[in-house]
């Protein structure tokens, strides 16, 4: 039973044990979808919290999760795993959460870039230290949400979070 259940593509872990005198107890932990990604044929597939692209038959349209975009995430399990770990560290709700994140991509020069509901702009996280950067970005997003400011680009690649926005023909940055 354990061997067969472990081979199913939607099973993360299975535990089978005998409870005397005449019972078999089975505990199953399914794979959860951290994000969605389009395969090379354009079909949307789930991505587990381990960065694994799940088989196409595991479509659960009821899962509200961000979409991983771009060739880098599609081709690199290591980047998908890093993105999934980042998503797992985000809270369920809030200005920067799994609920409000629309897309996540990885660009060679920028690192991880996300689009967030309500911002109408992007957040550039870079490639490292995503957890601590997300806390700073969340604080900035909460302030911007309170002030009803949208259409900005946030850059969190460095130690501080910079707000980049357009005023007339010029670009203004601020901390």
């Amino acid at each position: 039973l354990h061997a067969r259940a472990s081979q199913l593509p939607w099973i993360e872990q299975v535990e089978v044990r005998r409870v005397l005198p005449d019972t078999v107890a089975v505990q199953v932990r399914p794979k959860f979808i951290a994000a969605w990604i389009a395969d090379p044929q354009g079909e949307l597939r789930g991505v587990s919290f381990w960065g694994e692209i799940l088989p196409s038959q595991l479509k659960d349209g009821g899962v509200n999760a961000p979409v991983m975009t771009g060739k880098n995430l599609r081709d690199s399990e290591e980047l998908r795993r890093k993105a999934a770990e980042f998503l797992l560290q985000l809270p369920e709700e809030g200005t920067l959460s799994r609920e409000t994140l629309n897309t996540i991509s990885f660009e060679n020069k920028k690192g991880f870039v996300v689009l967030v509901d309500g911002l109408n702009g992007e957040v550039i996280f870079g490639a490292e230290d995503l957890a601590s950067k997300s806390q700073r970005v969340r604080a900035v997003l909460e302030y911007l949400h309170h002030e009803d400011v949208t259409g900005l680009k946030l850059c969190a690649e460095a130690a501080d979070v910079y707000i980049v926005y357009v005023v007339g023909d010029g670009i203004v940055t601020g901390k």
Side-chain angles (χ1 to χ4, degrees):
L1 181 63
H2 181 271
R4 286 188 63 200
S6 296
Q7 297 301 313
L8 296 171
W10 56 86
I11 301 296
E12 182 75 41
Q13 181 180 10
V14 64
E15 182 182 318
V16 179
R17 61 186 170 82
R18 185 172 177 192
V19 181
L20 296 175
D22 58 359
T23 304
V24 175
V26 179
Q27 281 188 306
V28 176
R29 186 171 72 202
K31 292 181 180 175
F32 291 101
I33 294 175
W36 298 101
I37 195 165
D39 66 16
Q41 292 75 34
E43 186 174 352
L44 207 56
R45 302 196 23 204
V47 177
S48 75
F49 279 109
W50 295 101
E52 172 190 10
I53 298 177
L54 301 173
S56 60
Q57 70 263 29
L58 298 181
K59 294 180 190 170
D60 184 354
V63 174
N64 181 19
V67 177
M68 292 185 180
T69 61
K71 185 174 178 8
N72 288 328
L73 286 175
R74 190 173 57 242
D75 293 347
S76 171
E77 185 172 353
E78 180 182 341
L79 286 176
R80 285 193 309 274
R81 183 177 301 121
K82 200 170 184 179
E85 287 172 4
F86 168 64
L87 294 171
L88 188 58
Q89 294 172 357
L90 293 176
E92 291 285 331
E93 298 175 336
T95 55
L96 181 63
S97 64
R98 290 193 297 267
E99 178 185 73
T100 60
L101 212 66
N102 285 329
T103 64
I104 183 167
S105 62
F106 186 88
E107 300 177 19
N108 292 330
K109 291 184 179 180
K110 294 180 179 179
F112 287 98
V113 178
V114 300
L115 297 179
V116 181
D117 280 344
L119 179 63
N120 195 23
E122 66 182 21
V123 181
I124 303 168
F125 276 93
E128 302 298 328
D129 198 23
L130 302 175
S132 67
K133 289 177 183 178
S134 69
Q135 293 173 357
R136 293 191 306 267
V137 167
R138 190 174 312 116
V140 170
L141 287 174
E142 286 172 6
Y143 170 78
L144 294 174
H145 179 74
H146 181 265
E147 296 295 316
D148 201 26
V149 177
T150 63
L152 302 178
K153 180 186 294 189
L154 300 182
C155 182
E157 293 173 287
D160 293 318
V161 178
Y162 288 88
I163 302 170
V164 180
Y165 53 97
V166 178
V167 176
D169 293 332
I171 294 179
V172 179
T173 63
K175 256 193 208 183

